[in-house]
Amino acid sequence: MGQLAQAAQGTQIRAAQPGSDFKGLLKREWPRIQAVMPKAMNPERMMQIAISAYNTTPKLSECSTVSVLSCVMKCASLGLEPSAVDGLGRAYILPYYNGKTRHMEAQMIIGYRGMIDLARRSGELESIHAQPVFQGDTYEHWEDETGQHFKFVAADVPHDADNLTDVYVCAHLKDGGFVFETMTRREVDDVRKRSKASANGPWVTDYVAMACKTVIRRSFKYL
């Protein structure tokens, strides 16, 4: 996977102005993009998803085409399809305003399911699960001389962003190790405040998924 990512970074994509025919440019550059894809990835499906992701996010048309194509390249090299189409939160291609260049640019953001996919591909994991906790759920977390422990029982309550209280991730490693991380909603919101995308994108449309991603990211140093 590291070699694929390096290949993606080393591949030069020719620049084009915002508003150019994205579909045509994508097809022109497709041999370079396909060259860094994992063998198990379907090139035709990936192309259609990239086109759909572009069409369903209108502000991407204001971004430099080279930045959008670079995001597609990164998604392809990591084997992650943009979630604007499938809604699975593996990766996002989002428009941002670059204050230094004073232009809109596209950025690829890995979603929490994408992070789980990458962690599983490392070969070190037996299992991994991220769990949001909502008001009304039974959730306890404690630590003693034997390690960290938790208890969770889901209640029949609305499982939406407004009722989120905590989020945790638990993972079993193949060597017998165990990783557990938990964050309160306040801790998650503190991370959100530091994000330049705090007021748009998945933090707005998929808050619960972003909360799960945040606690997974915190545990990555162990995974």
Side-chain angles (χ1 to χ4, degrees):
M1 185 177 67
Q3 292 177 340
L4 289 174
Q6 291 174 8
Q9 293 173 355
T11 302
Q12 296 297 318
I13 294 179
R14 286 165 282 182
Q17 295 300 317
S20 299
D21 176 20
F22 175 74
K23 185 176 180 179
L25 291 169
L26 181 66
K27 289 183 176 180
R28 187 186 73 189
E29 299 293 342
W30 195 248
R32 301 170 185 234
I33 296 172
Q34 186 173 342
V36 301
M37 287 185 189
K39 292 183 179 179
M41 200 169 198
N42 185 315
E44 291 76 19
R45 172 181 165 85
M46 180 61 184
M47 177 182 285
Q48 292 306 314
I49 286 177
I51 293 171
S52 296
Y54 182 85
N55 291 337
T56 55
T57 309
K59 278 194 169 293
L60 285 177
S61 64
E62 301 176 17
C63 300
S64 65
T65 309
V66 68
S67 70
V68 181
L69 291 174
S70 293
C71 289
V72 175
M73 174 77 76
K74 291 175 184 177
C75 286
S77 70
L78 295 175
L80 301 176
E81 296 176 347
S83 63
V85 175
D86 61 25
L88 295 179
R90 288 187 172 87
Y92 302 88
I93 298 178
L94 300 174
Y96 291 105
Y97 179 75
N98 187 327
K100 293 182 179 180
T101 64
R102 297 183 180 180
H103 293 292
M104 295 291 292
E105 295 181 358
Q107 290 190 16
M108 192 276 279
I109 306 296
I110 299 177
Y112 95 91
R113 288 184 176 87
M115 297 187 78
I116 288 178
D117 283 352
L118 295 177
R120 284 174 173 161
R121 291 183 213 164
S122 71
E124 302 297 325
L125 288 179
E126 190 70 34
S127 65
I128 184 172
H129 175 68
Q131 177 65 52
V133 182
F134 301 89
Q135 292 179 9
D137 293 341
T138 300
Y139 175 65
E140 298 177 32
H141 168 244
W142 68 95
E143 186 174 356
D144 56 28
E145 64 278 2
T146 64
Q148 296 196 58
H149 310 274
F150 69 96
K151 175 184 177 182
F152 173 75
V153 179
D156 185 15
V157 296
H159 285 182
D160 54 42
D162 292 338
N163 294 327
L164 184 75
T165 61
D166 302 88
V167 63
Y168 68 84
V169 61
C170 57
H172 294 271
L173 307 181
K174 287 189 174 181
D175 63 3
F178 178 77
V179 175
F180 179 79
E181 285 284 345
T182 184
M183 295 179 71
T184 65
R185 184 186 184 112
R186 176 175 293 182
E187 290 175 315
V188 171
D189 285 341
D190 285 343
V191 173
R192 178 182 182 177
K193 290 175 184 176
R194 295 194 293 271
S195 170
K196 61 183 178 181
S198 61
N200 54 66
W203 272 119
V204 176
T205 60
D206 300 284
Y207 177 86
V208 175
M210 289 299 290
C212 290
K213 174 187 172 180
T214 301
V215 75
I216 292 171
R217 182 183 292 277
R218 177 175 284 190
S219 70
F220 252 43
K221 59 187 175 182
Y222 305 113
L223 303 178

